[in-house]
Amino acid sequence: MRLWLAAALTAGTFTTPAAMPASGPAPGHPPGLTHAGPPGLSSRGTRTAALSPKPSGRQAEFAAAAREFGVPESVLLGVSYLQSRWDANGGFPSTAGGYGPMHLVDAFPADALSPLTGAAAPDAHASTTGGGHVWPIGDALGDARGDDARPMPRTYPEAPPASALRTPAPPATLPEAGRLIGADPALLRADPAANIRGGAALLASYQDRPSGNPADWYAAVARYSGAEDAAAARDFADEVFSVMREGARRRTDDGHLVRLEPVPNLPHPVAATAKDAAGPAASTNSAAVTGPVTAKDAASVTGSAGLTGEQAEPHAQRDPAAPPAVDEQTDNDPPPPYNEQFDTDPLSFSGDETGTDDQTDSDGNWAETGNVEKTGNGGQAECPSSLACEWVPAAYERFGRKKNRDYGNHDRLSRSRSVDYIVIHDTEGTYQGVPSLIRNPRYVSWHYTIRSRDGHVAQHVATNDIAWHAGNWDVNTRSIGIEHEGYLAKGTWYTEAMYRSSAKLVRYLAGKYRIPLNRAHILGHDNVPGTTPKMVAGMHEDPGPYWDWSHYFDLLGRPLNGVQSGNSIMIRPSYATNRPRFTGCVSVKPDKACPPHGASTVWLHQEPREASPLVNDPGKHPGKPSTHSVYDHSARASTGQRYAVADRQGDWTAIWYLGQKAWFHNPPSNPTSVPARGLLVTPLRPRTRVYGRAYPEQSAYKLASYQPLAPLQYKIGPGQTYTVGDTITGSYYSAGAFSAAKHVTTTGQTRYYQIQLGHRVMFVMAKDVRLIR
């Protein structure tokens, strides 16, 4: 505890919990430490107004705690916004065991590596359990590789011993916060006001000397992150200070309107801490150190982390004869690159190379020499300079006997590839188990993981290599997968720190590969189509309805705005006020309603009335009705998705969805969609087929085995209209060998349009539809 705070406690210059009412300070007599800032400055670090409205609710709780412990209110609000978005989350813990608006971490819970306590855990969603077995991170359930030519067996790894968990548990801060304010830890878990007081006291204990100047709190904020290395702590503090400069306004999950007014003239964190620098910036690729970062550690980190892995890549090459990819808002331009030079000569795979023979020992096992790639990607992470990313390489090795040989857990490429999509996942498990899982060659893979509590980024697979993450090989070969620590049914704990790191990373990758920033190319895992009819029902549903797509695209710099005159609509309810009914958050009571919370989706009905049944999805629920389960997306449209309008009636709008009219409530007084413009298609004949992958025609295969075209269960017909997200020439990348030189690419003549058929994107052959510009 800092000496000044200890002295305040000893002298009794702050109010004890017993003397302070839960609702805040007594009128006219603020409790606690007096403001130590310059005259005329409030504890927010802004000039005081002569007549300012008295705060109430959650806002008043932050103001009172800031005054009590001498923390600038802007700093307290900024820290809380990064960790919880000011939400109480119903008293439930985060993936790191954190509670309440200040994300105070209790002793790492025993069930933190188990399936979500009390939550539904269908086959597609599970995590690590005790008993010696690891329930895989969601993408391992099902066939994440999604290649019919080499289906993955369902073999799950054994749970590693505790000593093998490379990532330490986050430091427990809740007990110390409770001790500082003299409150029982149980109160800090359940009561938001007490939680905020505890967080303020903890933050003050990290501060070397009292100050009313927000700029002086950088090191304390960095330490509050609980990050294991100084670079990650610096990233967290940078984002807090960015929020303080920008300001924020949000209605919390329990209905409180909270504002963080912009702090004018707040120095950039680098300038604010350069004078205190005690050493060089931390390496972005070093192993995490044990224990939380101290104030001295945080102060030693100055400037931006070194830019790693930012060598120029050729841009994604799409069908040159096709119309451009369509932005669902107003334009087609990809995001600007991050000061990179792009190779304008298109590069594509060629599959005519032959490789060396596989090496085995006398027993028929894989020989050790050359079977393990220990560093991959040169040991560097591909990230923008504003993120300190860690390189935690995925396994790349061969295993098994000669007659049952295999390799994993991704595919290395010897030449550049095109990337069309970035796929957003959630882990359905904790960050702590990621290192041991990603290093298992029999497991699945993904390119990046982002930690919830502080937004720390780890890269596992080079972006030019193919990770096994989407459950669809065609999408895998043309995508980058990013896992976000969290649970679908617990998506209220998708933190601002994680959103911001993810947005920085995605914008960097989109600039690098020329990927349009729209919902036709920034997909949720729940938007990836099944490959064949039998695979449709088992496709994953993450990140789910609680992922705030509108806020995410604001952070990407591409707000989901409407146009003046549209030929279609884009789904865009207000996340704060749109609180649809969901069930399935509690496994023992699957029909019980989930706690009300903002959501990015709207329900789709068979008729324009609330009592009407939900539309049916013959692929997701063959012969059965759709449900309101939080895991069931079959009758939902999501923010940012663009659809063709089928009808309007009063406050209701119908869209074309899975071959039928689907109605959603869209009153002019509180619209849940905005006008949009882009390419459309309409089928030329009844029962037009749709596909889950854009593969070439049979005659195109020369060196690789033919992959049959498998139409899905859905059929569309004349009179229906669907939006177009991209145009693709059919291709198949055969990668059934450890040596990339043996891989074969088959490119055909068949052209496809990517359409928004339902909640998922799918493909139609260009010859089967008419394009409407």
Side-chain angles (χ1 to χ4, degrees):
M1 187 187 307
R2 298 302 177 200
L3 291 178
W4 67 269
L5 182 60
L9 287 165
T10 302
T13 53
F14 81 100
T15 306
T16 64
M20 178 180 169
S23 59
H29 185 70
L33 296 171
T34 58
H35 170 60
L41 279 180
S42 71
S43 61
R44 297 185 185 188
T46 58
R47 293 286 170 184
T48 55
L51 293 174
S52 56
K54 184 178 179 180
S56 61
R58 185 71 40 81
Q59 189 85 50
E61 292 164 357
F62 278 111
R67 288 193 300 270
E68 180 179 1
F69 296 103
V71 180
E73 189 176 338
S74 60
V75 174
L76 190 62
L77 285 166
V79 168
S80 176
Y81 186 73
L82 258 288
Q83 297 222 305
S84 70
R85 303 178 80 196
W86 302 323
D87 286 342
N89 287 294
F92 292 105
S94 72
T95 54
Y99 290 84
M102 295 304 297
H103 194 254
L104 295 174
V105 179
D106 209 346
F108 201 65
D111 61 354
L113 298 179
S114 305
L116 177 61
T117 303
D123 287 345
H125 295 276
S127 63
T128 312
T129 65
H133 291 281
V134 172
W135 285 78
I137 282 177
D139 296 315
L141 292 159
D143 185 345
R145 189 160 58 194
D147 186 1
D148 289 351
R150 46 177 185 151
M152 289 188 70
R154 288 198 175 197
T155 55
Y156 302 143
E158 292 293 310
S163 60
L165 291 174
R166 181 177 183 274
T167 305
T173 55
L174 189 142
E176 175 63 10
R179 188 187 69 79
L180 287 172
I181 67 171
D184 189 286
L187 182 65
L188 274 69
R189 288 192 290 266
D191 180 25
N195 185 276
I196 293 170
R197 289 188 65 241
L202 189 68
L203 187 58
S205 75
Y206 296 158
Q207 177 69 1
D208 285 327
R209 56 186 180 275
S211 174
N213 183 358
D216 293 338
W217 286 75
Y218 184 87
V221 169
R223 183 177 176 186
Y224 194 96
S225 70
E228 294 85 17
D229 63 88
R234 187 282 317 277
D235 279 354
F236 177 84
D238 282 354
E239 289 302 325
V240 170
F241 273 61
S242 178
V243 169
M244 290 160 60
R245 281 192 296 271
E246 299 164 3
R249 178 181 183 274
R250 185 173 183 270
R251 190 170 295 279
T252 66
D253 59 351
D254 49 356
H256 295 278
L257 183 62
V258 181
R259 292 182 177 87
L260 167 55
E261 300 296 339
V263 179
N265 305 317
L266 182 66
H268 190 278
V270 172
T273 61
K275 64 180 182 294
D276 299 321
S283 168
T284 60
N285 298 308
S286 60
V289 298
T290 302
V293 173
T294 66
K296 181 179 180 181
D297 294 331
S300 71
V301 183
T302 62
S304 297
L307 193 63
T308 59
E310 290 196 47
Q311 300 303 313
E313 297 279 359
H315 62 77
Q317 178 67 17
R318 296 184 177 86
D319 185 352
V326 180
D327 191 304
E328 282 123 348
Q329 302 163 59
T330 57
D331 60 72
N332 304 329
D333 296 333
Y338 276 76
N339 299 321
E340 293 183 16
Q341 299 298 317
F342 288 91
D343 184 348
T344 56
D345 296 325
L347 296 181
S348 59
F349 302 121
S350 61
D352 295 332
E353 300 86 8
T354 58
T356 59
D357 293 335
D358 296 325
Q359 300 178 13
T360 58
D361 61 22
S362 58
D363 295 325
N365 294 316
W366 290 114
E368 181 67 23
T369 302
N371 288 345
V372 181
E373 172 57 56
K374 295 185 181 298
T375 58
N377 204 40
Q380 291 189 323
E382 301 164 89
C383 279
S385 59
S386 56
L387 283 178
C389 299
E390 183 181 10
W391 176 245
V392 182
Y396 189 65
E397 61 183 273
R398 298 186 280 198
F399 56 85
R401 299 183 65 82
K402 187 172 184 179
K403 293 183 179 179
N404 189 29
R405 59 185 60 170
D406 203 349
Y407 70 95
N409 55 22
H410 59 284
D411 283 293
R412 294 278 172 86
L413 274 64
S414 59
R415 58 195 63 82
S416 299
R417 69 167 178 148
S418 297
V419 178
D420 295 335
Y421 309 111
I422 296 173
V423 181
I424 304 299
H425 304 259
D426 77 35
T427 59
E428 294 299 312
T430 69
Y431 185 90
Q432 219 193 2
V434 165
S436 61
L437 295 176
I438 201 68
R439 287 176 172 142
N440 189 324
R442 300 173 187 267
Y443 202 60
V444 300
S445 58
W446 53 97
H447 292 89
Y448 296 89
T449 305
I450 303 180
R451 190 164 59 200
S452 175
R453 60 186 166 90
D454 59 1
H456 178 64
V457 178
Q459 184 177 2
H460 315 297
V461 177
T463 59
N464 193 63
D465 293 336
I466 300 171
W468 304 343
H469 64 98
N472 182 315
W473 180 245
D474 183 33
V475 172
N476 279 340
T477 61
R478 299 186 286 121
S479 70
I480 293 169
I482 304 175
E483 292 278 359
H484 299 75
E485 183 188 20
Y487 297 91
L488 183 158
K490 201 176 175 182
T492 53
W493 270 116
Y494 293 146
T495 67
E496 183 68 11
M498 186 166 66
Y499 276 125
R500 286 178 171 248
S501 290
S502 181
K504 284 184 177 182
L505 178 62
V506 167
R507 186 162 177 82
Y508 160 77
L509 294 171
K512 181 173 184 174
Y513 287 102
R514 299 290 178 93
I515 303 169
L517 285 173
N518 58 42
R519 288 285 277 115
H521 297 88
I522 310 301
L523 303 175
H525 197 183
D526 55 345
N527 306 135
V528 175
T531 54
T532 64
K534 71 177 183 179
M535 299 299 293
V536 170
M539 294 299 289
H540 291 206
E541 298 90 357
D542 56 303
Y546 297 133
W547 183 265
D548 192 344
W549 285 107
S550 181
H551 179 57
Y552 192 54
F553 271 81
D554 286 344
L555 294 174
L556 286 170
R558 280 298 178 90
L560 298 174
N561 297 324
V563 299
Q564 288 294 323
S565 178
N567 62 353
S568 50
I569 58 97
M570 179 172 61
I571 303 297
R572 202 195 66 181
S574 166
Y575 186 90
T577 60
N578 179 53
R579 301 193 170 201
R581 172 178 173 262
F582 294 109
T583 61
C585 290
V586 181
S587 59
V588 295
K589 297 180 180 179
D591 295 327
K592 181 181 179 180
C594 297
H597 196 276
S600 289
T601 59
V602 297
W603 287 114
L604 302 174
H605 298 264
Q606 296 180 21
E607 298 176 6
R609 52 190 179 87
E610 288 288 350
S612 172
L614 300 175
V615 295
N616 294 320
D617 183 339
K620 180 73 172 176
H621 299 294
K624 297 180 180 179
S626 299
T627 73
H628 285 90
S629 170
V630 71
Y631 293 101
D632 186 359
H633 62 263
S634 54
R636 296 201 303 249
S638 181
T639 293
Q641 292 180 322
R642 188 170 66 94
Y643 293 93
V645 174
D647 204 351
R648 298 183 190 271
Q649 190 175 124
D651 289 345
W652 292 77
T653 300
I655 56 176
W656 288 113
Y657 186 93
L658 301 177
Q660 62 195 305
K661 286 186 179 181
W663 294 88
F664 68 99
H665 194 227
N666 188 29
S669 60
N670 186 25
T672 52
S673 72
V674 294
R677 175 165 291 278
L679 298 176
L680 305 167
V681 293
T682 185
L684 296 174
R685 59 189 64 84
R687 298 186 63 78
T688 294
R689 295 176 172 182
V690 298
Y691 301 85
R693 50 197 177 183
Y695 277 177
E697 65 279 4
Q698 184 172 1
S699 61
Y701 290 85
K702 306 300 182 185
L703 299 175
S705 299
Y706 168 57
Q707 301 300 303
L709 293 173
L712 302 179
Q713 296 95 323
Y714 312 103
K715 302 292 187 295
I716 57 178
Q720 301 176 20
T721 310
Y722 295 90
T723 62
V724 175
D726 211 339
T727 307
I728 300 156
T729 297
S731 66
Y732 171 68
Y733 186 71
S734 176
F738 183 80
S739 171
K742 291 187 174 183
H743 296 181
V744 174
T745 297
T746 300
T747 302
Q749 300 297 318
T750 303
R751 292 173 59 212
Y752 294 85
Y753 292 125
Q754 175 189 317
I755 64 171
Q756 192 68 59
L757 183 72
H759 190 81
R760 300 181 186 273
V761 301
M762 296 181 200
F763 305 98
V764 293
M765 292 185 182
K767 66 180 181 62
D768 292 335
V769 297
R770 177 171 60 88
L771 185 67
I772 303 172
R773 296 181 182 271

